[in-house]
Amino acid sequence: MSFTIALLAATLLLFLPGLAVLWSAGRRGWTAWGAAPPVSIALLLLTGAVGHVAASDTVHGAGAVVLAVLTAAVAGATRLLARPVEDPREPSRPGGRWWPAAAVVSGGAVVATVLGRAVGSATAWPQIHDSIFHVGATTMLVRDGSAWAGDVTAYARVPYPGGWHAVAALVTGLSGVDPLTASHALLTVVVSLVWPVGVVLLARTVWGPSPAVLTTAAVSAFLCYGLPYQLLTWGVVWPFLLATALLPPVLSQVLELTGLVAVAGGRRRIAAAAVLPVVGAAAATVVHPAALYGVAVIGLPAVLERLARAGRHRLAVVVAAGGALAVAAAWSVRPPERLLVAGAAGGGYGALDVVALVLSTVSQHPLSAAVGALAVTAGAVLSVRAGRAWVAVGLVVPLALAASVLVLPHGVVSVLTWPWYSDVNRLRALAVVPAVLAVAALARNVAGRAGEARALVPWGVPLVVAGLAALTLVTAAPVVRALYHPETADRWWATPAEQDALASLADRLPRGATVAADPFRGGTFLFLHRDVTLLFPVGDPPLPSRPGAVEVAARLDRVRSDPGVCRAVVASGLTHVLTGGDANADETALGDAYAGLARVGSDTPGFTELASSGPYTLWRVDRCTS
């Protein structure tokens, strides 16, 4: 029941504020529903900003009031200033307008059900260290009553976009559930509603309102393994998944704006049309900056082609020059070193590996992968013939970048691929957006040849796609389940029993304590049960940038015999140590990085045992003098 409430809260927050504003502007149907999530997220982020400035709790009841006031104010201003937008295009068959909606609702229900069964429970933990940070950051926001995205950087102690966490905190406060359940509810709504509705809107903008096209686009949104299923199985990349799901509505608004510019639609209309893509792109970027780079990769070719075909060649040259400068500036940003190599394969892969990468973007099942790849290729060719060559370009570029990560040394390719962490799975997720448009182009061509009046055509292609989607779901569900319920003990970061033990020990810690705990043995889950500072907050080697961290991890047991270790303890502010727990397999690559923690015991001078629970023991660090 609590998960159902959280689902309802997430759905309302992601759609209702945006719908109120867009309806005030005269937008209806897919134009309103598809574009609503970026607008809603912008209003949610603004709600957090207002609370931050006013130093008030915006996570709980006051947040709903602030959001309602902001939504009403923006909707009212929109109604006064914006001219109503009417779209004369209607489906060519009466009643056909409901087919895409039926595909979204039924497909979303199937995906939500299958993934729900794979996860098993809304309180099940993904067994990967990213989950500790993402749910932990949301937990800290809720504890502080903050929905301000900027606070996430304070919790992470590194620059990190906090859009996802701010929205998840508001879902938590509005529904009254725990942050993990709220995160899963938000994730479910993004995958089953936000993503397919945005895809339908983009397909409508590009190919028109044909029921066959829109229904195929809706079903295809649930088809490709690369998005959302690969990202669901790759780890807790929830902010990136949400940002990528927002790309279709943002791109749709970019294309609408370009259309007005191409026909010289008047300064006032152009200025009004520019608001939605700017607001949407900004909101998506706060969720994850990779969204802005995705708009550049797919949207810039679309804008240039549209202007060139409209005869606005001078403007196209100006946009190309400005776009080139903006792209050069964006890609020249010096990212943290870890982003340059985070997902890089380092080269050494061959042609067959590249082929497998492309096919598995569609599906993990050989049959559906082959058929789907043929459909996407045919649709890309048809897109070029229909004057939408940017669809093919948007498909090829991300896949080429992903292939280069496999083939080239990471030092070479990371200059271009770092916005996606040089990760092939994030890059091919970007390729899914134009891939879905290509499949819709194929449906458009088939429907155009056979005639919309025939019932077989609007349903034939979608049914074939639905069959392929079923195969995708069948292959995706076990991989998702493996992320939450590993088959081998060494793949767990913290078993349910260990998590219960950690929750029990957390009660013995004073607020604000600084704790050293091996992150590969579940220790970082303490962050979720108590407001403490973790010396090792993520599953990585100890960070040299943290005072004393490396010495504490490797030689803490020598705190009384080694003055250097004592100085490291003092510098780090360490007050407590957690020992015990089963090691995760990823720790083997680190060697003895955390050996100093493992050697702390009852016969180790300088520590006082406070409590034990399950496999863990909590110690207080006694004062030492160097």
Side-chain angles (χ1 to χ4, degrees):
M1 185 63 180
S2 61
F3 184 65
T4 303
I5 295 174
L7 274 178
L8 179 60
T11 303
L12 290 175
L13 288 176
L14 288 178
F15 283 94
L16 194 56
L19 284 173
V21 172
L22 291 165
W23 284 340
S24 297
R27 306 262 177 165
R28 298 292 185 270
W30 291 109
T31 307
W33 284 92
V39 178
S40 294
I41 289 176
L43 287 168
L44 294 174
L45 295 174
L46 185 58
T47 298
V50 169
H52 177 71
V53 172
S56 63
D57 184 341
T58 48
V59 169
H60 302 96
V65 174
V66 173
L67 176 62
V69 171
L70 288 174
T71 301
V74 174
T78 301
R79 191 174 188 85
L80 290 174
L81 300 176
R83 293 179 179 180
V85 178
E86 296 182 1
D87 191 339
R89 299 177 300 176
E90 291 293 335
S92 54
R93 285 191 64 191
R97 65 196 311 176
W98 299 110
W99 296 345
V104 168
V105 172
S106 59
V110 170
V111 170
T113 301
V114 171
L115 294 181
R117 289 184 175 276
V119 172
S121 168
T123 56
W125 277 92
Q127 294 301 310
I128 190 167
H129 66 81
D130 285 1
S131 65
I132 301 164
F133 164 67
H134 289 302
V135 182
T138 302
T139 301
M140 298 300 289
L141 286 173
V142 173
R143 287 177 184 169
D144 293 346
S146 171
W148 169 235
D151 280 341
V152 172
T153 293
Y155 302 141
R157 296 176 178 82
V158 294
Y160 197 91
W164 165 274
H165 313 90
V167 176
L170 286 168
V171 173
T172 302
L174 185 61
S175 62
V177 301
D178 63 272
L180 180 57
T181 298
S183 298
H184 280 134
L186 180 58
L187 182 67
T188 301
V189 174
V190 169
V191 171
S192 60
L193 284 179
V194 173
W195 162 242
V197 169
V199 164
V200 172
L201 171 61
L202 181 58
R204 188 178 189 274
T205 302
V206 176
W207 301 121
S210 160
V213 169
L214 301 191
T215 305
T216 301
V219 179
S220 297
F222 301 115
L223 165 64
C224 288
Y225 184 76
L227 180 68
Y229 309 109
Q230 177 65 69
L231 294 184
L232 289 173
T233 63
W234 188 231
V236 184
V237 292
W238 298 338
F240 181 85
L241 177 54
L242 173 57
T244 308
L246 295 176
L247 282 181
V250 172
L251 289 170
S252 173
Q253 300 306 320
V254 169
L255 293 174
E256 293 280 2
L257 173 62
T258 305
L260 281 177
V261 173
V263 299
R267 292 183 178 180
R268 182 176 176 181
R269 290 187 66 194
I270 291 174
V275 173
L276 278 179
V278 170
V279 169
T285 300
V286 175
V287 173
H288 200 290
L292 191 60
Y293 293 86
V295 172
V297 169
I298 301 175
L300 188 57
V303 170
L304 294 176
E305 184 178 30
R306 180 70 177 87
L307 292 176
R309 287 186 172 276
R312 306 293 301 273
H313 299 293
R314 290 185 179 180
L315 182 57
V317 171
V318 172
V319 172
L325 289 175
V327 166
W331 258 270
S332 65
V333 173
R334 178 63 181 175
E337 189 67 25
R338 63 185 180 84
L339 296 191
L340 291 173
V341 300
Y349 289 83
L352 290 179
D353 298 299
V354 173
V355 172
L357 176 140
V358 173
L359 291 177
S360 61
T361 301
V362 177
S363 176
Q364 294 289 88
H365 191 281
L367 173 61
S368 56
V371 176
L374 288 175
V376 171
T377 302
V381 173
L382 291 170
S383 298
V384 174
R385 294 178 60 183
R388 308 290 193 280
W390 63 267
V391 173
V393 173
L395 177 66
V396 170
V397 171
L399 290 178
L401 289 174
S404 68
V405 171
L406 291 180
V407 176
L408 300 176
H410 65 73
V412 175
V413 71
S414 62
V415 175
L416 293 176
T417 58
W418 69 262
W420 298 276
Y421 300 179
S422 296
D423 179 7
V424 294
N425 291 321
R426 296 175 192 251
L427 283 163
R428 62 181 182 175
L430 180 62
V432 171
V433 177
V436 171
L437 288 177
V439 176
L442 177 61
R444 174 176 177 266
N445 184 268
V446 173
R449 290 177 180 275
E452 285 281 1
R454 300 182 184 179
L456 178 62
V457 173
W459 284 105
V461 173
L463 283 175
V464 172
V465 175
L468 298 176
L471 289 176
T472 298
L473 281 173
V474 168
T475 56
V479 187
V480 174
R481 180 168 182 78
L483 178 67
Y484 283 81
H485 307 281
E487 294 183 358
T488 59
D490 63 351
R491 299 311 310 177
W492 287 84
W493 285 75
T495 65
E498 288 175 333
Q499 293 175 35
D500 291 341
L502 290 168
S504 173
L505 291 176
D507 293 336
R508 301 297 302 272
L509 286 167
R511 293 190 181 278
T514 298
V515 184
D518 188 336
F520 293 91
R521 296 175 182 266
T524 46
F525 280 85
L526 276 173
F527 178 59
L528 307 168
H529 303 291
R530 198 71 167 173
D531 185 6
V532 297
T533 297
L534 293 173
L535 195 56
F536 314 112
V538 294
D540 288 311
L543 299 178
S545 58
R546 293 177 181 268
V550 175
E551 291 82 1
V552 168
R555 299 184 293 141
L556 180 61
D557 58 311
R558 303 178 188 175
V559 65
R560 285 295 177 87
S561 60
D562 188 331
V565 176
C566 181
R567 287 192 294 269
V569 168
V570 173
S572 66
L574 186 66
T575 60
H576 294 79
V577 180
L578 181 80
T579 60
D582 294 328
N584 182 279
D586 290 348
E587 188 172 24
T588 57
L590 300 181
D592 296 330
Y594 291 97
L597 301 185
R599 289 193 294 263
V600 171
S602 57
D603 57 348
T604 308
F607 303 92
T608 300
E609 181 177 342
L610 297 181
S612 294
S613 182
Y616 297 109
T617 301
L618 182 65
W619 309 84
R620 185 183 67 239
V621 180
D622 299 332
R623 181 184 296 272
C624 69
T625 56
S626 57

